[in-house]
Amino acid sequence: MNAQITPLRTPAEARLIDQFRASKAALPGNAAVALRREEAFATFAAGGLPTRRVEAWHYTDLRALMREARPWAPPPDASTVAAVRAQLDAEGPSDSVRLVIIDGVFVPEASDLDRLPAGVQVSSLAAALAEGRAAVVQHLAGPEIAQGDMAFALNAAFMRDGVVVEVAPHTDVRALVRIVNHRTATTATASAARALVLVGASATVTIIEEHVGEAGEPTQTNDALQFTLGDRARVEHVSIQRLPPGALCIATVTADLGARATFNSFAFSVGASVARRQLFVRCGGHAKTALGGVSLLNARQHGDTTLVVDHTAPAGESRERFKHIIDDEAVGIFQGKVIVRRGAQKTDGGMKSNALLLSEAAAMNNRPELEIFADDVICGHGATCGALDDNQLFYLMARGLPRQEAEALLLEAFAGEALDQVADEGLREVLMRHVREWLAARAASLPQSGFEPVGPAERGIIGNRDRTEA
Amino acid sequence: MLEIENLHVQVGGKAILNGVDLKVEAGEVAAIMGPNGSGKSTLSYVVAGREDYTVTQGEVRLDGDNILELEPNERAAKGLFLAFQYPLEIPGVATMTFFKAAMNAQRKHRGEPELDMPDFLRRVRAAAKQLGIEQEMLKRPLNVGFSGGEKKRMEILQMALLEPRCAILDETDSGLDIDALRIVAKGVNALRAKDRAFLVITHYQRLLDHIVPDTVHVMSGGRIVRSGGPELAKELEARGYRGYAEERTTDEIASAGAK
Ligand SMILES: Nc1ncnc2c1ncn2[C@@H]1O[C@H](COP(=O)(O)OP(=O)(O)OP(=O)(O)O)[C@@H](O)[C@H]1O
Ligand SMILES: [Mg+2]
């Protein structure tokens, strides 16, 4: 009888169960943290890796995509640290401080702990968990909408290390704070880092979250970044994902916004074979959030952005604006859910997803969703999906631009419009440079004039349940 | 310079041009007039190289070479220019970036060096001033939010910058106020030259008062049905297209009978 209801485990699931049993005693945390890990793992063990039957994972069937669970990465050795450090020293904005995490382990000696801005404190997550620091532990669960998510639960079970960034109330942090998640790839490994950014009331900070790594063996990354914003706090968050092909990267962001807080988050995603970004944002009264992103996908890349914004108090404002450029046989996914709770009157929400498909085999899945339990709200959403505009292309070409140059100009404009959401000008330029690099690589890989644009018959809206704008 | 011979064109299986014959010599300004829907814009698009038309018969030659197999940008590099009846808005593309890209693309194709920044700016400023275009307009994304007349002026500005050898102006006068018409016509006249040809599509004598054509052609039912001198335009202005429409009907009956 019992055997019949035990779900069939995939090798990856069985491996994760073994790994948890074998490693839980060594994972950092006091008794309370250990209990949290057990609970989180039980959530996973009950459901297994999410499949397309789990609504939030419908387009990213992790059970199918994650054939095996890689062994956990060992802590980085001295030569790895030196190499990463040298590389980071050579790049990056100078007006920033960086916090470096290699394969899920915080590396103080590669970080700028000696020149942190006033009002900013940084510690390793492992240390905070070991101490069981209440200020940290209380935030681990994240907003209600994140609880129960399988990737977040797995991160909660396995998180080994990461950083805790605390910004004192009323501090205006001018320097950009970079959290660099670097992945080595000499062997195929898994990692799970978690970062907490706790921002005091009326404080302001910009956080850049990077996922980068060496080309090599396929890695698995399941990171989480949690923001807690005090009343009237303001966070600008920019995420840059440039992992090499072969990588699987799940990045969860949670944000808990106090009253009148502002959380702007922009994601630039260009790397990895399978990338899933999930955002869970809870808006307090009069809180504002603007979530945006640009994903550039080619070859057989799979890029999923799934977000939930939860308006739990009146007069919140949320904006979502995501753009995808999809080439070859790549697949893009945008799922956005805005929840307006019963008491959250005067909520103002707007969601938009626009995708450009550059080949006939490219695909985009759009799924906007509104769950509204209040009666006095303004919420809307729209999605478009199609090829480059033939008329615009013709216009540019008739003035002398070769097809590829005309296409690149239109694509750059499409991406550029989204990048305008990034407040920091220097950062915007860095991202624009990545866009241009991607376009240049595309142009270099195309035959001089053999590119066949997608015909009007193939255009249309794919997987969009609701209203569509032209 | 531009020779169109027995050009037959279909869109989505529908015949639109039914054997257009037209020659424009170097130094000539030719005008095409004709009722709405007679195929004037279609002709201009096909000559410029728009994709969704099927040429079933005929040739278009520029300097003796058939250009129908060339990409639009290759035709532009050979000196062809089309001022659109409805110029497109291109959000996110800065006007100046586009001008520079277009000018340099053509130069590159012809094996000429790229323009340096000061030279480029000087040319744009001079041409914009002549056409009464404010610098502020050049700072905006290409044509975005421009009025109908502003868009037409921008087309002529681009023509002045690209210095084509064969320019087709598709109803550049529509949407222009009286002063703008005069300015634009002056811009066009300034470009008139021995080695340059113009094909001016218009509905109104008004434009031809300013840009006096050498020849006038009447298009109806996808063909040139009559050609003459400037006096033909005046005649059309006075009498309309009555008579030409009948000719078209006869044609259609004839072609239907042939099937
Ligand atoms: N893509 C298309 N599909 C079907 N019919 C088309 C298409 N493009 C043009 N046509 C038709 O071809 C005919 C000629 O159109 P065209 O725009 O060339 O006329 P025109 O002479 O420029 O008219 P106007 O003076 O109004 O500008 C019209 O009947 C038009 O409806
Ligand atoms: Mg027309």
Side-chain angles (χ1 to χ4, degrees):
Chain A
M1 203 55 206
N2 220 353
Q4 279 174 325
I5 55 159
T6 304
L8 216 57
R9 304 284 185 199
T10 63
E13 289 166 343
R15 180 86 187 263
L16 285 166
I17 290 169
D18 288 346
Q19 285 177 340
F20 188 68
R21 269 198 210 112
S23 65
K24 63 182 180 186
L27 289 167
N30 65 356
V33 172
L35 185 64
R36 297 197 60 84
R37 289 186 190 275
E38 288 286 358
E39 284 168 2
F41 196 75
T43 304
F44 163 72
L49 290 170
T51 68
R52 51 187 307 117
R53 286 194 303 273
V54 178
E55 209 191 336
W57 288 82
H58 182 71
Y59 299 100
T60 301
D61 188 322
L62 204 55
R63 192 180 291 185
L65 289 167
M66 208 177 128
R67 293 251 157 241
E68 44 189 319
R70 309 287 179 194
W72 295 95
D77 58 25
S79 69
T80 304
V81 170
V84 171
R85 195 174 163 172
Q87 191 191 323
L88 291 172
D89 282 343
E91 50 151 64
S94 53
D95 57 343
S96 67
V97 290
R98 68 173 192 237
L99 307 171
V100 178
I101 297 167
I102 301 177
D103 293 337
V105 177
F106 177 50
V107 184
E109 59 274 35
S111 306
D112 294 327
L113 296 183
D114 51 342
R115 49 186 203 88
L116 292 176
V120 176
Q121 276 190 5
V122 172
S123 58
S124 106
L125 179 78
L129 295 178
E131 287 167 29
R133 265 168 58 199
V136 170
V137 174
Q138 71 179 27
H139 294 299
L140 291 173
E144 194 189 321
I145 41 170
Q147 294 161 17
D149 175 77
M150 219 51 88
F152 191 49
L154 271 178
N155 176 282
F158 284 103
M159 60 184 173
R160 170 162 353 141
D161 196 1
V163 282
V164 179
V165 179
E166 286 164 281
V167 181
H170 303 282
T171 315
D172 181 4
V173 182
R174 291 292 166 84
L176 311 175
V177 179
R178 287 169 77 194
I179 301 177
V180 182
N181 289 283
H182 182 97
R183 291 292 274 121
T184 65
T186 40
T187 57
T189 58
S191 71
R194 181 170 306 202
L196 267 68
V197 178
L198 311 175
V199 186
S202 300
T204 299
V205 67
T206 297
I207 301 284
I208 307 170
E209 173 199 17
E210 288 164 74
H211 286 98
V212 288
E214 298 140 25
E217 297 297 319
T219 55
Q220 294 174 342
T221 303
N222 180 12
D223 288 348
L225 170 57
Q226 294 188 268
F227 292 93
T228 300
L229 281 71
D231 293 350
R232 295 178 198 271
R234 179 185 185 94
V235 170
E236 299 284 338
H237 168 229
V238 175
S239 140
I240 305 172
Q241 189 273 108
R242 295 193 298 129
L243 285 163
L248 180 152
C249 179
I250 303 172
T252 302
V253 171
T254 73
D256 206 326
L257 277 59
R260 296 185 194 275
T262 300
F263 177 66
N264 295 331
S265 173
F266 186 88
F268 178 79
S269 182
V270 71
S273 286
V274 175
R276 157 103 170 179
R277 240 190 110 57
Q278 33 184 33
L279 291 114
F280 301 99
V281 180
R282 186 199 70 88
C283 286
H286 296 268
K288 283 187 182 178
T289 185
L291 311 175
V294 167
S295 295
L296 309 178
L297 301 165
N298 62 19
R300 306 197 58 185
Q301 278 180 298
H302 176 106
D304 177 341
T305 298
T306 293
L307 63 87
V308 184
V309 176
D310 191 6
H311 290 278
T312 59
E317 189 183 301
S318 59
R319 289 287 179 275
E320 297 79 28
R321 187 127 201 254
F322 286 82
K323 290 198 169 189
H324 289 76
I325 298 178
I326 311 173
D327 204 355
D328 304 326
E329 295 163 67
V331 179
I333 294 134
F334 173 74
Q335 302 188 99
K337 185 196 276 194
V338 176
I339 305 171
V340 182
R341 304 277 171 185
R342 199 173 308 277
Q345 300 295 6
K346 306 273 181 211
T347 293
D348 178 356
M351 181 153 49
K352 232 176 170 180
S353 160
N354 306 101
L356 278 179
L357 305 181
L358 303 183
S359 85
E360 282 182 46
M364 177 71 198
N365 300 289
N366 271 316
R367 200 170 67 179
E369 236 181 300
L370 301 173
E371 278 183 16
I372 301 177
F373 303 100
D375 49 22
D376 183 15
V377 300
I378 309 169
C379 280
H381 60 79
T384 64
C385 175
L388 279 172
D389 186 314
D390 283 339
N391 293 325
Q392 291 186 343
L393 266 180
F394 172 59
Y395 185 67
L396 298 181
M397 288 178 75
R399 297 289 142 90
L401 297 187
R403 181 179 295 278
Q404 287 168 14
E405 223 178 293
E407 283 182 3
L409 208 56
L410 293 177
L411 293 171
E412 205 180 298
F414 180 79
E417 221 185 358
L419 292 181
D420 283 345
Q421 294 173 79
V422 176
D424 187 86
E425 196 185 331
L427 214 47
R428 217 161 46 223
E429 267 160 33
V430 168
L431 296 180
M432 204 61 213
R433 212 165 57 228
H434 291 319
V435 171
R436 290 199 186 103
E437 274 168 23
W438 190 87
L439 292 172
R442 173 172 189 266
S445 74
L446 286 175
Q448 206 52 36
S449 63
F451 174 68
E452 279 296 313
V454 183
E458 279 83 29
R459 289 188 196 184
I461 307 302
I462 300 168
N464 178 28
R465 283 177 174 175
D466 291 281
R467 185 169 73 82
T468 292
E469 345 175 290
Chain B
M1 169 165 287
L2 180 69
E3 294 163 287
I4 300 168
E5 195 180 301
N6 192 29
L7 188 66
H8 289 254
V9 171
Q10 295 186 353
V11 183
K14 180 180 162 197
I16 300 198
L17 299 185
N18 303 301
V20 175
D21 286 300
L22 184 68
K23 258 188 204 172
V24 189
E25 304 291 348
E28 182 182 338
V29 173
I32 297 188
M33 303 181 83
N36 294 128
S38 55
K40 304 180 298 297
S41 293
T42 303
L43 178 67
S44 72
Y45 285 143
V46 171
V47 171
R50 198 164 117 167
E51 260 174 5
D52 35 2
Y53 296 97
T54 314
V55 176
T56 53
Q57 259 189 78
E59 275 198 3
V60 175
R61 289 186 295 272
L62 189 61
D63 298 325
D65 305 327
N66 185 2
I67 57 169
L68 286 177
E69 294 302 313
L70 300 182
E71 290 272 0
N73 58 303
E74 294 169 321
R75 300 182 196 200
K78 273 180 80 71
L80 192 73
F81 180 89
L82 168 62
F84 282 53
Q85 182 175 1
Y86 304 107
L88 280 99
E89 300 197 3
I90 320 265
V93 173
T95 299
M96 293 296 264
T97 307
F98 167 64
F99 284 2
K100 192 148 187 276
M103 289 166 82
N104 280 332
Q106 294 202 15
R107 295 175 74 89
K108 192 172 157 193
H109 203 275
R110 293 193 291 254
E112 295 162 16
E114 288 204 348
L115 287 171
D116 59 29
M117 204 57 184
D119 192 14
F120 165 71
L121 290 175
R122 190 180 48 73
R123 288 174 191 232
V124 176
R125 280 203 199 102
K129 193 172 167 208
Q130 201 193 0
L131 290 164
I133 293 173
E134 301 285 336
Q135 292 294 313
E136 181 273 328
M137 267 174 70
L138 301 174
K139 290 181 183 142
R140 285 159 49 184
L142 189 55
N143 291 334
V144 176
F146 288 12
S147 75
E150 287 170 340
K151 283 178 186 165
K152 296 301 177 71
R153 275 197 232 197
M154 289 294 271
E155 293 290 279
I156 299 306
L157 172 60
Q158 288 171 54
M159 179 173 80
L161 293 174
L162 294 169
E163 302 177 321
R165 292 175 41 258
C166 176
I168 305 175
L169 311 185
D170 191 356
E171 293 195 28
T172 298
D173 51 336
S174 60
L176 291 181
D177 63 44
I178 297 156
D179 295 333
L181 181 72
R182 209 170 283 132
I183 293 168
V184 163
K186 214 174 124 200
V188 172
N189 285 330
L191 286 169
R192 284 179 89 150
K194 279 204 308 294
D195 56 352
R196 188 170 278 144
F198 286 91
L199 188 58
V200 179
I201 299 172
T202 182
H203 285 296
Y204 305 106
Q205 173 60 37
R206 204 180 51 163
L207 177 72
L208 303 180
D209 288 340
H210 296 283
I211 306 174
V212 180
D214 300 299
T215 50
V216 174
H217 305 272
V218 181
M219 187 168 217
S220 178
R223 303 175 54 176
I224 301 296
V225 294
R226 201 174 154 195
S227 301
E231 72 290 345
L232 179 54
K234 298 209 169 79
E235 185 191 317
L236 292 170
E237 181 100 331
R239 306 228 323 246
Y241 294 112
R242 265 173 298 130
Y244 297 108
E246 279 155 35
E247 199 167 331
R248 176 189 179 182
T249 316
T250 331
D251 260 19
E252 278 173 358
I253 293 165
S255 71
K259 276 181 198 163

